[in-house]
Amino acid sequence: MSDSLIWYGHATIGLETSGYHVLIDPFFQDNPATDVNAATINPQYILITHGHYDHIGDCVKIAKRSNALVISNFEIINWLEKQGLTNLHAQHLGGGHQYPFGYLKLTLALHGSGLPDGSYGGNPAGFLITTNTNKKIYIAGDTGLFGDMRLIGEEGIDLAVLPIGDNFTMGPEDALRAVKLIQPKHVIPIHYNTWEVIEQNASKWAKKVEAETDAKVHVIPPGGTFNL
Ligand code: NI
Ligand code: MN
């Protein structure tokens, strides 16, 4: 069975795998890149990379309604418990855990993680998901370039989802260097064009990446789907 990924816009991703809907970094309400109403999303799992509003914005609302299991770092899980959520699982950087949808490992990300009310959100993370059919999907989260992306690449990445927007995360040049370190088969750029400050030409970036690496880049519009 193939895995499919929907990019709702910005950093919000839905992953359909083994019959489960895994929602990553839910941000709908105030997200200029999507018209999707959070009330129409029914995930079994919600994964949060870090505490910033554009990644955790609609988490509590969707989790309360759907009773999805929310997975994030220990500090964010503690905060979510204070917001009234009970179906929670804490992990931390470098640690992996087997869920029905696959094996999830938290990876390093170079960023911040403060929560919307100013609470401490621990360290930001990326996600390395090994599906039940042994596909490896690396979702970098908000991050700058770091050399240990090479270690993540050593696992053999089928799909890497990377920020290219610059200003808050890697820009196009560093994201190209990231592809060279990770050596994924497929790449999807995210975290760009949501606001003027992160405007980028993804098609131009895709051409450059495909000219300089063996990766195939998939520039999908917000709301678009990629089948792995
Ligand atoms: Ni952020
Ligand atoms: Mn962000």
Side-chain angles (χ1 to χ4, degrees):
M1 195 165 68
S2 80
D3 303 302
S4 74
L5 181 148
I6 176 166
W7 182 46
Y8 291 107
H10 196 54
T12 305
I13 291 164
L15 181 66
E16 302 278 348
T17 184
S18 300
Y20 296 100
H21 184 98
V22 182
L23 180 64
I24 299 152
D25 287 354
F27 174 52
F28 296 96
Q29 174 108 41
D30 298 318
N31 184 348
T34 185
D35 294 329
V36 173
N37 184 337
T40 63
I41 308 288
N42 292 292
Q44 285 93 36
Y45 299 90
I46 299 174
L47 280 48
I48 305 291
T49 58
H50 66 291
H52 291 163
Y53 184 68
D54 58 317
H55 297 259
I56 203 167
D58 291 300
C59 175
V60 172
K61 195 169 51 185
I62 296 173
K64 276 187 178 157
R65 177 176 46 77
S66 65
N67 200 33
L69 177 69
V70 185
I71 305 160
S72 190
N73 75 29
F74 180 78
E75 291 82 0
I76 289 174
I77 291 301
N78 274 346
W79 183 81
L80 289 170
E81 196 168 20
K82 288 182 193 143
Q83 315 307 310
L85 297 188
T86 52
N87 196 17
L88 299 163
H89 187 114
Q91 290 188 218
H92 233 303
L93 300 187
H97 185 77
Q98 183 71 51
Y99 299 93
F101 70 84
Y103 184 80
L104 171 69
K105 186 156 80 173
L106 265 57
T107 60
L108 183 72
L110 287 185
H111 197 66
S113 185
L115 286 152
D117 64 0
S119 298
Y120 177 61
N123 286 310
F127 296 128
L128 180 56
I129 298 166
T130 307
T131 69
N132 293 324
T133 53
N134 223 26
K135 296 254 179 64
K136 298 240 185 201
I137 301 170
Y138 171 49
I139 294 161
D142 282 10
T143 186
L145 179 69
F146 57 93
D148 285 352
M149 285 180 176
R150 186 187 303 278
L151 295 177
I152 296 166
E154 281 174 7
E155 298 213 21
I157 303 301
D158 293 287
L159 169 64
V161 180
L162 305 176
I164 67 159
D166 218 348
N167 194 72
F168 301 114
T169 67
M170 295 190 285
E173 289 303 318
D174 278 354
L176 168 62
R177 295 168 73 193
V179 175
K180 290 176 179 176
L181 291 173
I182 301 160
Q183 298 183 19
K185 289 195 185 87
H186 302 276
V187 179
I188 294 174
I190 65 165
H191 213 279
Y192 67 95
N193 287 1
T194 319
W195 302 286
E196 204 178 324
V197 70
I198 56 172
E199 263 176 23
Q200 298 297 338
N201 185 331
S203 303
K204 192 173 141 201
W205 182 76
K207 283 199 187 84
K208 195 164 188 198
V209 172
E210 292 190 343
E212 294 189 29
T213 75
D214 293 328
K216 177 95 186 81
V217 183
H218 307 272
V219 176
I220 50 180
T225 296
F226 170 72
N227 293 310
L228 183 62

